[in-house]
Amino acid sequence: MSSNIRNFCIIAHIDHGKSTLADRLLEHTGTVSNRDMKEQLLDDLELERSRGITIKARAVTMRFKRNGTDYELNLIDTPGHVDFHYEVSRSLACCEGVLLLVDAFQGVEAQTVANAFAAMEHNLKIIPVINKIDLTHARPEEVAEEMMNSLGTDPDECVRVSAKTGQGVDELIDCIIEHIPTPTGDPAATLQAMVFDSNYDDFRGAITYVRIMNGTVCKGQKIRFLKAGSVHEVVELGRFAPQRQPCDQLKAGQVGYLICNIKSLGDVHIGDTISIPGDKHAPALPGYSRPKRMVYCGLFPSDGQDFTELRDALERLSINDPSFEFEPETSEALGFGFRCGFLGLLHMEIIQQRLENESDIDLVQTAPNVTYEIINKRGETISIHKPQDVPDPGDIEEFRQPIVRCNIIVPNDYIGAVMKLCQERRGIQQTQEYLGAQRAMLGYNIPLAEVVYDLHDKIKSCTRGYGTLDYEMVGFEPADLCRLDIVVNGSRVDALSIVCHRADADRRGRAVVKRLKLEIERHMFEVAVQAAVGSRVIARETVPAMRKNVTAKCYGGDITRKRKLLQKQKEGKKRMKAIGNVEISQKAFMAVLSDS
Ligand code: GDP
Ligand code: MG
């Protein structure tokens, strides 16, 4: 009966104890016996464990008997990081309530606020939970007050727990049963289910995670993905307990999985609605959107031979993660490789780390850039994913960049330092609120390009690690941007073009040519290294002519040492790229790309 079902998420800032609390809930409901309990059962990817963040949502069904009644508690785990906002919002759409978890020492942080606001937008019942009350420095009273000031939660409603010792967890389970509303929805109505996650199993194909909103889905039945437009037969369905546990049907209000012989995750869209084939299907659920890639970078095998190997590795990854995309790219400087699109910087790091873990290709990665929009002279809007695609200045009517709203929570002592940093990054302050006696929340609109570079690290370092940042897209806004080109003896070096603010062009152009001058070896002729915006040269350095004799350093004598040097020079040559009549080593490219 759906009146015995509770569907909820735990939302929290990173490290506030979400995974640990999930473990305790599994244990206290008897879903997992003590013996089977290994820590952080829900984070099943090795990488997630090593980074301590939950990347993909998981779901688990807990059975619990209370006062003679059987309850079905469905815990939907959400990714905590800003890059995965969309996935969080789809998970929230499957719940009636959330546990808003806050560390009793750290207090309210940027992602606490972002997640709480998202839960409010979905009209969910919020149960405020203060965790880690076992810590000697715990300050639950103050934290309850911070939560009231920033989120409007009632301090008297805060449940105090220690996910580590289990203290308060039984009370929390009572609270979930008493306060989270039961799902509405009619098991006899036409099937309408929300896809809130998916993962890939090498043997079974795509596993689709669903919440049934209306109707009933049965084994063997034909279903239709409304957005994707595809029809499939349900080969297996069931619940996570926490391993997959097949059953015959799932009804309105329930959460579980479907297996339909789908060969690629690219065919399963998070946020899609499942219904029946034919024209009597239920309406699509609101809120579906395509994942937006906001950050791009080029990935090249440092040895050109590994190109096919890299392609295979990227393909394997994208089967598991449809929000990551890649397409072949040829760079004059770096050869054949791929341009890859990510949801954000963390997403990019995760993919790179997986590539490194799962293959042994030596990778060269170009500096990340964001997506830009350009309105050209013909009035067309074009989306730009790499700087060298920016048209010449004469063809640009308007240059637009993505702006994000940043919420930064800092101890009062560091407000000045953070404001200065945000101003340097062309941020425009929107709000300033005090959370309690000690901490404030600053709201800034900042160009995403300035954020992705290293804003988070900079905030951490200027606040001794206490500052936290969260951001969400505001939209594209016009800005005075330009494409800065690097020209070597008259040839433009595509891989080194960057998009930057016009006011920064001189400084950045000078820095790049200075650096490049140091890295380019002398040729028989003079080499001119220039930075230019359109046809205007803004910086120039010259590498003087002279053939460098590598053996000159060894004043006669040791012949083996000479041979070694010559051998080294030969190997270095293999990694040389010709730009016009000038040879530039790959090392030079990397030096410049990692600086800019
Ligand atoms: P998540 O990032 O929100 O999933 O956080 P984790 O569950 O991974 O917890 C982060 C850290 O806090 C881990 O080292 C946990 O052992 C620790 N932790 C979690 N809950 C408690 C608690 O109630 N008390 C104490 N002392 N430590 C806790
Ligand atoms: Mg976790």
Side-chain angles (χ1 to χ4, degrees):
M1 269 213 329
S2 72
S3 65
N4 296 346
I5 300 175
R6 303 289 182 275
N7 296 316
F8 66 100
C9 291
I10 306 175
I11 52 179
H13 191 82
I14 287 168
D15 281 346
H16 282 201
K18 190 172 68 160
S19 304
T20 312
L21 180 62
D23 288 350
R24 283 299 86 65
L25 290 172
L26 292 180
E27 208 176 79
H28 283 240
T29 54
T31 310
V32 176
S33 67
N34 268 336
R35 189 166 43 84
D36 293 340
M37 197 74 220
K38 60 175 180 186
E39 259 180 66
Q40 307 207 343
L41 208 73
L42 290 181
D43 294 350
D44 54 1
L45 286 165
E46 227 11 77
L47 189 68
E48 295 187 30
R49 284 166 174 280
S50 66
R51 299 189 60 124
I53 44 171
T54 308
I55 297 162
K56 296 286 282 180
R58 295 282 177 279
V60 59
T61 299
M62 298 174 278
R63 308 249 171 218
F64 187 66
K65 208 180 189 80
R66 180 175 173 260
N67 302 334
T69 311
D70 284 311
Y71 291 93
E72 181 175 322
L73 310 178
N74 293 308
L75 167 59
I76 295 171
D77 196 18
T78 58
H81 193 275
V82 288
D83 285 1
F84 304 94
H85 262 323
Y86 173 65
E87 291 181 20
V88 175
S89 99
R90 293 306 83 206
S91 298
L92 292 177
C94 296
C95 296
E96 279 74 38
V98 298
L99 309 184
L100 175 61
L101 191 67
V102 180
D103 182 308
F105 174 64
Q106 302 288 344
V108 172
E109 304 274 19
Q111 273 129 54
T112 316
V113 178
N115 283 317
F117 285 166
M120 290 174 200
E121 274 166 33
H122 285 91
N123 289 319
L124 303 184
K125 169 71 192 173
I126 294 176
I127 298 179
V129 183
I130 297 179
N131 185 31
K132 309 199 189 181
I133 53 169
D134 61 291
L135 290 175
T136 22
H137 300 294
R139 41 182 199 103
E141 311 305 325
E142 281 163 69
V143 170
E145 197 182 298
E146 280 181 13
M147 291 174 82
M148 179 176 70
N149 291 341
S150 53
L151 309 166
T153 54
D154 182 348
D156 294 332
E157 282 182 14
C158 287
V159 184
R160 283 141 205 234
V161 303
S162 165
K164 188 175 172 188
T165 66
Q167 187 187 347
V169 170
D170 290 330
E171 291 82 347
L172 181 59
I173 294 172
D174 286 342
C175 199
I176 291 168
I177 292 173
E178 277 160 29
H179 296 299
I180 293 181
T182 59
T184 54
D186 176 5
T190 308
L191 175 65
Q192 186 189 40
M194 158 81 87
V195 176
F196 66 89
D197 197 7
S198 61
N199 65 10
Y200 192 78
D201 181 291
D202 283 337
F203 302 103
R204 311 299 307 269
I207 316 275
T208 307
Y209 292 49
V210 291
R211 151 78 197 264
I212 315 296
M213 297 298 181
N214 274 300
T216 302
V217 60
C218 304
K219 190 177 168 181
Q221 174 184 349
K222 284 235 161 48
I223 55 163
R224 172 161 157 207
F225 289 77
L226 295 184
K227 282 282 181 267
S230 55
V231 172
H232 299 275
E233 185 183 319
V234 179
V235 187
E236 181 184 314
L237 54 76
R239 279 176 285 248
F240 297 97
Q243 277 73 36
R244 285 203 302 268
Q245 193 176 74
C247 63
D248 292 330
Q249 55 177 26
L250 290 171
K251 287 186 178 168
Q254 288 186 308
V255 173
Y257 69 90
L258 306 178
I259 295 177
C260 309
N261 281 336
I262 299 174
K263 289 289 164 247
S264 156
L265 271 195
D267 299 328
V268 179
H269 303 279
I270 293 178
D272 200 351
T273 304
I274 290 175
S275 191
I276 53 169
D279 48 13
K280 294 219 172 59
H281 63 80
L285 294 158
Y288 172 80
S289 77
R290 300 185 147 277
K292 284 190 200 70
R293 287 100 190 172
M294 293 313 303
V295 177
Y296 285 80
C297 82
L299 286 180
F300 296 83
S302 65
D303 185 349
Q305 315 230 308
D306 292 337
F307 177 79
T308 25
E309 218 176 302
L310 177 59
R311 189 190 54 211
D312 292 348
L314 291 173
E315 246 157 35
R316 271 198 306 279
L317 278 177
S318 69
I319 285 176
N320 271 296
D321 180 359
S323 50
F324 156 64
E325 78 180 354
F326 65 99
E327 58 177 50
E329 175 180 20
T330 320
S331 154
E332 234 179 87
L334 300 169
F336 295 104
F338 298 91
R339 177 126 293 246
C340 305
F342 310 91
L343 299 174
L345 265 200
L346 178 83
H347 188 213
M348 181 172 90
E349 276 176 36
I350 290 166
I351 296 276
Q352 279 164 2
Q353 206 170 332
R354 280 197 188 150
L355 268 178
E356 272 166 29
N357 291 352
E358 290 166 22
S359 64
D360 43 27
I361 308 167
D362 193 14
L363 283 179
V364 172
Q365 178 213 325
T366 66
N369 65 273
V370 302
T371 300
Y372 292 95
E373 270 181 14
I374 282 175
I375 302 179
N376 64 20
K377 290 288 186 201
R378 290 177 299 286
E380 299 154 341
T381 304
I382 39 180
S383 212
I384 301 282
H385 302 313
K386 52 179 195 248
Q388 58 264 46
D389 290 348
V390 172
D392 289 327
D395 197 30
I396 300 177
E397 185 63 43
E398 192 169 274
F399 207 143
R400 307 164 72 184
Q401 66 175 340
I403 303 290
V404 292
R405 167 63 185 265
C406 295
N407 277 321
I408 304 158
I409 293 185
V410 287
N412 290 349
D413 292 350
Y414 303 108
I415 292 177
V418 169
M419 286 175 119
K420 180 164 171 282
L421 180 63
C422 291
Q423 269 151 25
E424 280 165 15
R425 298 303 174 92
R426 297 177 202 287
I428 297 173
Q429 190 170 5
Q430 309 288 318
T431 55
Q432 176 166 353
E433 282 168 49
Y434 288 91
L435 298 185
Q438 276 144 45
R439 295 186 328 144
M441 177 158 74
L442 305 174
Y444 271 88
N445 282 2
I446 307 182
L448 179 61
E450 305 275 350
V451 176
V452 296
Y453 185 41
D454 64 351
L455 186 66
H456 198 203
D457 291 346
K458 281 277 163 17
I459 286 179
K460 284 274 170 215
S461 64
C462 81
T463 61
R464 291 172 187 258
Y466 290 118
T468 53
L469 162 78
D470 187 89
Y471 63 83
E472 63 181 342
M473 263 302 274
V474 173
F476 284 84
E477 284 180 12
D480 193 12
L481 301 169
C482 62
R483 186 190 80 211
L484 176 66
D485 292 326
I486 301 303
V487 180
V488 172
N489 268 8
S491 305
R492 178 176 139 193
V493 188
D494 58 2
L496 297 183
S497 292
I498 49 179
V499 171
C500 67
H501 206 274
R502 201 174 300 276
D504 292 340
D506 280 14
R507 181 177 53 81
R508 295 191 62 178
R510 271 199 302 275
V512 174
V513 295
K514 268 223 167 70
R515 186 68 214 246
L516 206 51
K517 180 193 174 184
L518 295 178
E519 297 290 339
I520 294 180
E521 293 204 11
R522 292 183 181 194
H523 285 60
M524 298 294 281
F525 44 84
E526 235 180 45
V527 176
V529 183
Q530 296 169 311
V533 174
S535 54
R536 191 171 66 88
V537 174
I538 55 179
R540 180 192 161 119
E541 293 281 341
T542 307
V543 183
M546 190 181 83
R547 184 164 167 77
K548 192 166 151 197
N549 182 356
V550 286
T551 58
K553 283 185 217 151
C554 315
Y555 311 99
D558 190 349
I559 187 75
T560 50
R561 181 156 157 67
K562 271 187 198 168
R563 273 212 196 101
K564 259 193 198 148
L565 276 172
L566 284 167
Q567 182 62 29
K568 248 198 184 152
Q569 192 191 36
K570 235 167 95 194
E571 271 167 21
K573 275 266 156 57
K574 273 200 297 195
R575 297 266 173 99
M576 290 293 202
K577 309 286 175 179
I579 302 293
N581 57 356
V582 180
E583 300 236 301
I584 304 180
S585 70
Q586 188 159 14
K587 188 175 140 273
F589 282 109
M590 288 329 295
V592 173
L593 287 172
S594 54
D595 273 7
S596 52

